[in-house]
């Protein structure tokens, strides 16, 4: 959902998915197990991060669960946030964190996230090429916008509440990252110890 001037272009509306809940059934019929699903900041919380309109996402996420489809929740997709913020807003990461917290508490069963989709692409189009709001065309703006989105993404790790939302997946410009469990960490340590022992035997 990108902004050009004072207009927001909503691909969910343009593509019709916003009004076709039956598309979820079609995905399930294809044998899908994981689907990326938009819970976009601009759509859900247009006035402030805590004043959320959940009807659309409630209905569709319930359908996903009922069909056994596990969502990868996306919060910002080529966007600069609602009207009360912007990519160059120094409080952008904090506002994003407040929105993420509201979503995570609303849907504690979601275990995979794309907090910010393709932050580098968004920073290029908004800060370097001037196509998207705020239409800057300089390297400083590009870098500031990129950093702002990276900081926003990191808030979903450091400010994570005690809920069942343990894994994050980023797409496009960032590689997938997973938070290993204590058991997984212990296994990795054991593997490292075994490798060290093997090297010693060879020496």
């Amino acid at each position: 959902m990108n902004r050009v001037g004072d207009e927001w272009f909503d691909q969910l509306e343009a593509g019709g998915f916003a009004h076709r809940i039956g598309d979820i059934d079609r995905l399930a019929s294809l044998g899908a197990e994981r689907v990326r699903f938009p819970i976009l900041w601009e759509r859900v919380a247009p006035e402030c991060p805590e004043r959320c309109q959940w009807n659309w996402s409630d209905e569709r996420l319930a359908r996903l669960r009922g069909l056994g489809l596990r969502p990868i929740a996306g919060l910002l997709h080529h966007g600069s946030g609602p009207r009360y913020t912007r990519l160059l807003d120094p409080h952008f990461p904090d506002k994003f964190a407040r929105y993420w917290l509201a979503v995570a508490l609303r849907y504690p069963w979601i275990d995979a996230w794309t907090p910010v989709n393709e932050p580098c692409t968004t920073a290029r189009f908004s800060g370097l090429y001037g196509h998207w709001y705020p239409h800057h065309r300089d390297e400083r703006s590009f870098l500031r916008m990129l950093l702002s989105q990276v900081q926003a993404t990191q808030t979903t790790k450091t400010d994570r509440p005690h809920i069942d939302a343990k894994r994050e997946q980023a797409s496009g410009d960032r590689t997938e990252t997973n938070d290993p469990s204590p058991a997984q960490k212990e296994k990795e340590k054991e593997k490292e110890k075994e490798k060290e022992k093997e090297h010693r035997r060879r020496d």
Side-chain angles (χ1 to χ4, degrees):
M1 187 168 184
N2 62 296
R3 179 179 179 182
V4 178
D6 286 328
E7 290 188 69
W8 278 261
F9 292 87
D10 188 340
Q11 287 84 7
L12 296 177
E13 292 286 344
F17 180 72
H19 306 287
R20 289 197 310 263
I21 193 170
D23 284 358
I24 295 173
D25 301 78
R26 295 183 183 94
L27 286 169
S29 72
L30 294 174
E33 297 179 357
R34 279 279 191 189
V35 294
R36 292 185 64 182
F37 186 82
I39 314 176
L40 300 180
W41 190 7
E42 297 92 340
R43 286 177 60 92
V44 177
E47 296 180 6
C48 81
E50 292 83 14
R51 194 178 304 165
C52 299
Q53 302 168 7
W54 300 115
N55 291 346
W56 188 87
S57 54
D58 278 356
E59 183 180 18
R60 282 151 182 80
L61 285 168
R63 181 70 68 89
L64 284 172
R65 289 189 87 181
L67 293 169
L69 289 170
R70 299 168 64 197
I72 303 169
L75 306 180
L76 194 68
H77 195 107
H78 294 322
S80 55
R83 193 175 298 277
Y84 50 82
T85 191
R86 60 192 186 284
L87 292 175
L88 294 176
D89 177 2
H91 302 294
F92 179 88
D94 294 330
K95 292 174 182 176
F96 181 85
R98 287 161 55 197
Y99 174 64
W100 175 80
L101 179 61
V103 176
L105 292 175
R106 181 76 175 188
Y107 308 112
W109 52 273
I110 293 179
D111 66 353
W113 304 82
T114 303
V116 179
N117 178 76
E118 297 183 356
C120 190
T121 298
T122 300
R124 286 200 303 265
F125 275 72
S126 299
L128 198 59
Y129 306 154
H131 298 319
W132 297 344
Y133 182 85
H135 308 290
H136 287 211
R137 295 175 181 268
D138 61 274
E139 291 185 0
R140 179 178 172 80
S141 294
F142 161 72
L143 291 172
R144 287 178 61 197
M145 291 179 191
L146 178 59
L147 180 60
S148 184
Q149 293 175 90
V150 171
Q151 290 173 334
T153 300
Q154 289 180 329
T155 65
T156 67
K157 288 178 173 291
T158 59
D159 295 338
R160 187 189 306 270
H162 294 292
I163 58 174
D164 186 24
K166 299 173 183 175
R167 295 193 298 139
E168 294 185 3
Q169 296 179 358
S171 66
D173 303 309
R174 299 178 66 246
T175 57
E176 179 177 321
T177 62
N178 291 302
D179 293 335
S181 66
Q184 288 173 317
K185 289 179 181 178
E186 195 60 37
K187 285 181 181 179
E188 290 299 323
K189 287 181 182 178
E190 291 298 325
K191 286 181 182 179
E192 289 301 320
K193 289 179 182 178
E194 289 299 323
K195 286 181 182 178
E196 289 179 11
K197 289 179 182 178
E198 183 66 26
H199 284 306
R200 287 172 187 166
R201 282 196 291 267
R202 290 177 181 174
D203 295 337

